[in-house]
Amino acid sequence: MDIAAVLEAALLSPDPKARQDAEAQLELAAKEHFVLYLGMLTNALGNESIKTEVRILAGIGIKNQLVAKDAKTKLAQAERWVAMETPAKSQIKQTALQSLLSPDDRVANAAAQLVAAIADIELPRNEWPDLMVVLVDNTRENQPVNVKRASLLAIGYICETADPTNSGVVAQANGILTAIVQGARSAEPSIIVRQTAINALVNSLEFIRDNFEREGERNYIMQVVCEATQAPDDKLQASAFGALARIMSMYYSYMRVYMEKALYGLTVEGMKNASNDVSCMAVEFWSTVCEEEIEITLQQSDVYDEEEVVERENFEFAKFAINEVLPTLLDLLTRQEEDADEDEWNVSMAAAACLQLFAENTGSAVVNLTLQFVEVNIQQPDWRRREAAVMAFGSILDGPDHGTLAHVIGQALPPMLNLMSDPVLQVKDTVAWCLGRIADLVIEGINTETHLPEIMKALIIGFQDHPKVLTNCCWTLINLTEQLGQEGPYSQTTPISPYYDALLQGLMQASTRTDNENSSRTSTYEALGILASCSAADTLPLVTNVSAVIVQRLESTLIMQAQLVGMDDRSNLEELQVSLLSVLTNIIRRVQPNDRNTSDRLMTLLLSLLQHKLPNSLIEEDIFIAIGAVAGAVQENFNVYLEAFIPYLMKALEDPDSPTCNTAVGLVADLAVALGMQIDPYCDMFMNIFLTNLQNASVRRDVKVSILSCFGDIGSAIGPNFEKYLAIVMQVLVQASSLRKEADSPYDIVDYIHQLREAILDAYAGIVQGMREKPDVLLPYIQSIFGFLSLVHTNQSMIRSESVVRSIVGLIGDIADIYKQGEVKSYYQDEWLTDLIRKARADRSFSASLKETAKWAREQQKMQLAL
């Protein structure tokens, strides 16, 4: 095979078939003659006489045989590399290092990626010991610029992908730091080398932790980075400020002296830089400062488990610098780009985000300076200043004292609402966003008698405005409804009720648009859904009328499916179907239609959507959720639809890789609650699939958590008939409860263990409730249940959760109520149990209903102790 010709055909041939044939040849060679294939690619990479594009493709081709995003594939590829003959590997490594020296930067870039891919496999195994020696030597003063740049790029790639906890990699820290500092220092004449070195430094910061903890080395690193912020090049300056932000994030505890000596002045001047890139990264530095100080404050509160807290001092850098930083941030808000792309970050966006963090971090300290800025600018003829004033006001609503904010909101709302008719779109859009922030964060600032009518009038007008304004008006309405109408389902009326008719009409009209620009159509349906779920008794007829239109629109989408032209049409239709299903689900849950004609029409529609859904469609999950709502409404009468629906449900349950599987498990739980004992004939099927999925190591964690919780719903539904599953389910629950977190467990594992334990609580609660008629069968498992409850009690973060405490005290009471002959008395003598019940009754953050449950559990405990 002429590998160069095949690579060239795969990359550059104008004939699609020739490209396809060439790609097939390469895939076959990689599969059947792997080592030979890599050898040919290596020769192509090192051949300076062939086209640059071909050499690049050869280098990337080798790299792709060594790395993969999928963990299993990556491991298999690493094992395959390790198993190769040493001479073959040596030739590839030698060619990769030689190609780093190429004067063609594109070839050198590909070589850098290849070097990093090999290093990712070999360094953890303490192999390739001379790699860092070569790279460090390549960065020396006398080396050509292209060699220094490519070698530093390779170091950056190595640090980006390698495991910073692996001793084989960490052992290279001194070499890594030497190379980076050589390239980043001000004495280096090449800007591109310095910038590449600074970028590599950012990737290396986890590896050089030991170096950074040594004062002399830390001082030199900080000197090099600070000098780079003053370089005569915007990109290098921006990279340097980005490096300072990363250093602040990782090493806040060491930063006090550097803030006092240099960083305050450097970063404030950086924010004022005319270059948006430099200014953005200097702002990012202060955002990072605030994020770290917010985190420290949380750690010092009771949000974290005591054993998880690493004590750090809060130096209050932001509060100390507020009089210099805040005016600069406010001024940067006026540097908007008139035709800015929403997805493109700019300095005014960065300043607004930083201002929000300053407010959260320093609280009321931001209020006076910000209000002065608002007062001066909110009525200025320059639209940028009007928009900046509104943005500033909206950005400080999370953090300062609510009493102070409520007062100033009352003063600010009238002029702000006037700006909803501003001739400039950006101003109206930001006003709508600001109203949403007020409704979300400081609802007490809105007087329902004087302010609410004017806000509603502005929102209804906004529904007819540009899609950006419409989207933010919908968000504002959602927040208002959730805050002021949350008691709607339990009330005759709410403060939102008088506006329902006009709101529903305005939203239904806005939702007829054929596109979804700026997510405007999705937002209108989200707002409709919230109005439905929060509707009070006096607005239910209006919501019921909307449901008929929603059903008609969903039915019409089945006809639209046959008229799709391309992927854009398909995506647009699926988004519409998902939105309609979401509204319909909320209406069903609120209205609870239980007449047969209505449920027949709904189920016919939902089953038709399942039957005719497009291949790889994402709407199945939303259809299942809607079906769960129907089951909740009609309860045991849902049995008539099971025969038609079960095949779809089983298919989803049997495919744990499907995103719908978890929803399907939740739907089984909903059906169990709705149908009660009528679910029993199907339980063998469900339980077999559940147990199979639990034993499968590749099944997603969230699916396993849902399955454990679902055991409780099934147990509660079928009562004593759960006996045949009891032994195996209890074994599974005991095994799951044995999972413990380690000191170095990552957050996702800790979170998974918490979710798992909550699911186990749900399972035990349902099973105990269901098996109360067979106490002798349940009795052998009571010890395991109490052992688990005592374990949960030791986890401080879990027993701060009301739902967890409710489940525990409920179980304590239920078990005591079942066994009244002293069989379980000894468990009720444990001190932890008394302590937990006392906490549940005394904790002010817990609801009255939980305290009543705890009081009942205490009575049950007393009864047990008296036996």
Side-chain angles (χ1 to χ4, degrees):
M1 178 193 295
D2 183 350
I3 191 69
V6 177
L7 287 170
E8 185 170 347
L11 184 67
L12 302 175
S13 175
D15 180 1
K17 186 175 185 309
R19 289 200 304 272
Q20 194 173 16
D21 290 345
E23 289 168 1
Q25 274 187 275
L26 294 172
E27 287 177 12
L28 184 65
K31 184 177 180 181
E32 297 187 355
H33 308 285
F34 176 66
V35 177
L36 181 62
Y37 172 66
L38 290 193
M40 290 188 292
L41 290 178
T42 302
N43 291 335
L45 173 62
N47 188 344
E48 297 183 3
S49 65
I50 61 178
K51 289 184 177 179
T52 293
E53 291 81 3
V54 174
R55 296 181 67 192
I56 293 170
L57 187 57
I60 299 301
I62 304 172
K63 183 208 75 169
N64 289 344
Q65 295 298 321
L66 305 180
V67 300
K69 290 183 179 179
D70 178 71
K72 288 183 179 178
T73 305
K74 182 179 180 181
L75 178 61
Q77 290 179 333
E79 290 173 347
R80 184 174 59 177
W81 170 266
V82 170
M84 281 176 59
E85 296 280 340
T86 299
K89 291 190 289 187
S90 296
Q91 180 60 44
I92 294 171
K93 291 189 286 187
Q94 183 180 341
T95 302
L97 288 174
Q98 187 62 36
S99 299
L100 275 181
L101 311 181
S102 172
D104 189 319
D105 282 350
R106 293 180 297 165
V107 172
N109 291 351
Q113 293 182 54
L114 176 55
V115 167
I118 299 171
D120 196 38
I121 299 171
E122 296 207 343
L123 290 184
R125 297 170 53 83
N126 294 311
E127 297 173 353
W128 210 357
D130 60 335
L131 170 62
M132 209 51 65
V133 175
V134 172
L135 294 179
V136 171
D137 189 63
N138 284 351
T139 63
R140 295 195 187 283
E141 229 177 305
N142 59 341
Q143 294 286 8
V145 167
N146 64 292
V147 173
K148 289 189 280 190
R149 186 203 68 85
S151 299
L152 287 164
L153 187 64
I155 290 172
Y157 286 150
I158 290 169
C159 295
E160 186 176 19
T161 58
D163 178 5
T165 64
N166 185 280
S167 58
V169 181
V170 174
Q172 308 297 324
N174 288 335
I176 289 171
L177 186 57
T178 299
I180 288 172
V181 170
Q182 282 180 172
R185 58 192 178 148
S186 57
E188 168 57 52
S190 168
I191 292 293
I192 189 64
V193 169
R194 292 182 70 188
Q195 186 180 350
T196 308
I198 292 292
N199 293 338
L201 174 66
V202 171
N203 289 332
S204 75
L205 284 170
E206 288 189 85
F207 296 93
I208 62 170
R209 185 174 296 275
D210 289 344
N211 305 79
F212 204 89
E213 289 174 353
R214 290 191 281 270
E215 184 179 359
E217 293 184 58
R218 181 171 66 248
N219 287 344
Y220 193 44
I221 293 169
M222 293 301 295
Q223 178 187 331
V224 165
V225 179
C226 288
E227 286 174 350
T229 66
Q230 304 303 298
D233 181 85
D234 290 345
K235 289 184 178 180
L236 177 53
Q237 285 187 45
S239 295
F241 281 117
L244 287 176
R246 179 67 173 152
I247 290 169
M248 178 61 73
S249 173
M250 292 189 61
Y251 299 109
Y252 176 93
S253 299
Y254 294 109
M255 289 297 105
R256 188 171 193 169
V257 64
Y258 306 108
M259 290 295 287
E260 292 170 353
K261 288 184 176 181
L263 298 185
Y264 281 121
L266 287 178
T267 53
V268 171
E269 285 305 307
M271 287 193 290
K272 297 175 182 178
N273 195 293
S275 164
N276 282 344
D277 290 340
V278 176
S279 184
C280 274
M281 295 314 298
V283 170
E284 178 65 22
F285 173 83
W286 281 103
S287 292
T288 304
V289 169
C290 290
E291 286 169 347
E292 288 302 304
E293 293 182 349
I294 291 166
E295 180 75 7
I296 293 170
T297 301
L298 287 173
Q299 288 174 345
Q300 292 172 348
S301 69
D302 61 353
V303 174
Y304 287 76
D305 288 349
E306 290 181 8
E307 66 268 21
E308 293 177 353
V309 174
V310 178
E311 191 66 36
R312 291 196 293 168
E313 183 180 354
N314 188 339
F315 298 126
E316 297 188 334
F317 295 140
K319 189 171 289 187
F320 180 82
I322 197 166
N323 288 329
E324 288 190 53
V325 175
L326 200 60
T328 306
L329 286 175
L330 293 167
D331 187 58
L332 291 176
L333 292 176
T334 66
R335 281 171 55 174
Q336 309 96 321
E337 296 175 15
E338 191 157 0
D339 300 316
D341 185 338
E342 285 189 347
D343 297 327
E344 189 174 327
W345 195 245
N346 61 50
V347 69
S348 64
M349 293 178 180
C354 188
L355 182 56
Q356 290 178 37
L357 288 166
F358 253 88
E360 190 177 349
N361 184 23
T362 65
S364 298
V366 301
V367 173
N368 287 339
L369 284 170
T370 304
L371 289 183
Q372 291 170 20
F373 179 83
V374 173
E375 289 169 7
V376 169
N377 290 285
I378 197 164
Q379 294 181 331
Q380 288 283 347
D382 182 351
W383 73 264
R384 284 183 167 81
R385 294 205 163 270
R386 296 196 303 277
E387 194 272 344
V390 179
M391 177 63 75
F393 191 85
S395 296
I396 64 164
L397 297 176
D398 186 11
D401 173 68
H402 275 212
T404 302
L405 289 175
H407 175 69
V408 297
I409 285 169
Q411 296 175 318
L413 273 174
M416 198 175 295
L417 287 170
N418 288 337
L419 292 177
M420 277 296 286
S421 58
D422 196 278
V424 178
L425 170 61
Q426 288 90 333
V427 177
K428 291 186 289 185
D429 182 32
T430 302
V431 171
W433 167 82
C434 186
L435 292 174
R437 291 268 294 177
I438 292 170
D440 182 33
L441 299 168
V442 201
I443 191 65
E444 55 267 45
I446 297 176
N447 185 302
T448 55
E449 299 295 328
T450 57
H451 298 144
L452 193 59
E454 296 303 314
I455 292 174
M456 288 301 186
K457 186 189 300 182
L459 294 181
I460 291 167
I461 294 172
F463 293 160
Q464 304 165 38
D465 210 314
H466 188 279
K468 287 184 178 180
V469 178
L470 168 57
T471 296
N472 272 322
C473 285
C474 289
W475 180 60
T476 298
L477 177 59
I478 289 169
N479 291 336
L480 283 169
T481 306
E482 288 179 337
Q483 296 278 12
L484 299 175
Q486 59 182 329
E487 296 300 318
Y490 320 104
S491 308
Q492 179 61 35
T493 189
T494 72
I496 306 292
S497 289
Y499 311 100
Y500 257 68
D501 194 10
L503 289 169
L504 291 172
Q505 287 187 45
L507 288 169
M508 290 299 287
Q509 177 60 40
S511 66
T512 58
R513 58 183 305 128
T514 56
D515 61 61
N516 191 32
E517 185 180 352
N518 298 111
S519 301
S520 55
R521 186 174 64 186
T522 300
S523 298
T524 59
Y525 281 119
E526 286 176 0
L528 282 167
I530 293 298
L531 286 175
S533 60
C534 293
S535 56
D538 60 349
T539 56
L540 270 184
L542 296 171
V543 172
T544 303
N545 291 340
V546 167
S547 68
V549 181
I550 297 296
V551 169
Q552 288 172 2
R553 291 184 182 180
L554 255 178
E555 289 171 337
S556 69
T557 64
L558 288 167
I559 301 170
M560 294 164 63
Q561 281 186 189
Q563 303 168 353
L564 297 179
V565 176
M567 287 303 296
D568 287 346
D569 282 353
R570 171 176 168 158
S571 298
N572 190 41
L573 177 63
E574 285 190 356
E575 175 276 320
L576 176 60
Q577 288 177 322
V578 167
S579 295
L580 289 165
L581 283 164
S582 178
V583 177
L584 182 61
T585 299
N586 283 1
I587 293 175
I588 294 169
R589 286 172 175 165
R590 180 66 189 96
V591 177
Q592 294 286 299
N594 55 13
D595 64 285
R596 181 64 184 271
N597 289 338
T598 301
S599 61
D600 279 357
R601 183 179 180 187
L602 289 171
M603 285 304 298
T604 299
L605 169 60
L606 295 170
L607 290 170
S608 295
L609 286 167
L610 279 174
Q611 182 181 354
H612 297 104
K613 73 181 182 68
L614 298 167
N616 302 315
S617 171
L618 301 176
I619 71 163
E620 186 176 41
E621 187 174 359
D622 299 275
I623 299 171
F624 278 14
I625 294 171
I627 289 173
V630 174
V634 302
Q635 294 291 298
E636 65 274 3
N637 294 328
F638 191 84
N639 197 35
V640 298
Y641 308 116
L642 276 180
E643 184 178 349
F645 174 57
I646 282 292
Y648 297 106
L649 180 58
M650 295 301 293
K651 184 178 178 182
L653 290 172
E654 290 168 348
D655 183 10
D657 293 330
S658 160
T660 311
C661 183
N662 197 34
T663 305
V665 176
L667 182 50
V668 172
D670 292 341
L671 293 177
V673 172
L675 293 167
M677 189 61 76
Q678 292 187 70
I679 197 74
D680 190 42
Y682 303 94
C683 284
D684 280 353
M685 288 191 305
F686 295 147
M687 294 298 290
N688 285 335
I689 293 174
F690 287 168
L691 292 170
T692 299
N693 285 344
L694 287 173
Q695 292 167 357
N696 186 343
S698 66
V699 171
R700 299 194 319 270
R701 292 170 184 164
D702 61 328
V703 173
K704 292 184 176 182
V705 167
S706 296
I707 289 173
L708 294 185
S709 180
C710 189
F711 285 153
D713 294 294
I714 292 175
S716 178
I718 65 176
N721 289 3
F722 193 79
E723 180 181 354
K724 60 182 174 180
Y725 311 120
L726 187 62
I728 184 64
V729 168
M730 285 300 191
Q731 181 182 337
V732 167
L733 294 176
V734 169
Q735 184 178 357
S737 66
S738 67
L739 188 62
R740 302 284 196 275
K741 69 176 181 179
E742 304 295 335
D744 58 349
S745 293
Y747 174 78
D748 62 322
I749 294 296
V750 175
D751 186 52
Y752 172 54
I753 292 172
H754 281 207
Q755 292 178 31
L756 206 60
R757 290 178 178 176
E758 288 192 41
I760 294 168
L761 277 174
D762 293 340
Y764 280 145
I767 291 168
V768 167
Q769 191 66 37
M771 293 298 296
R772 64 185 302 117
E773 294 178 22
K774 291 193 173 182
D776 291 343
V777 176
L778 182 63
L779 186 59
Y781 304 103
I782 297 299
Q783 181 178 358
S784 297
I785 294 175
F786 273 97
F788 175 70
L789 297 184
S790 67
L791 171 68
V792 174
H793 172 257
T794 63
N795 188 307
Q796 294 301 309
S797 64
M798 288 196 74
I799 62 168
R800 279 195 289 268
S801 163
E802 176 160 338
S803 62
V804 169
V805 175
R806 184 187 300 278
S807 294
I808 295 176
V809 295
L811 264 169
I812 289 169
D814 284 340
I815 293 172
D817 193 43
I818 294 172
Y819 299 100
K820 298 183 178 179
Q821 305 301 318
E823 306 98 315
V824 296
K825 175 180 176 179
S826 61
Y827 301 117
Y828 288 82
Q829 296 170 338
D830 288 344
E831 188 176 333
W832 73 262
L833 189 145
T834 304
D835 178 67
L836 180 69
I837 295 175
R838 186 185 301 116
K839 172 182 170 55
R841 296 177 65 186
D843 195 314
R844 293 181 180 179
S845 67
F846 291 157
S847 66
S849 62
L850 170 55
K851 292 178 181 179
E852 281 299 311
T853 303
K855 181 180 178 182
W856 168 75
R858 174 59 178 158
E859 294 302 319
Q860 294 296 320
Q861 183 193 26
K862 287 180 180 178
M863 181 202 72
Q864 285 288 327
L865 296 177
L867 293 174

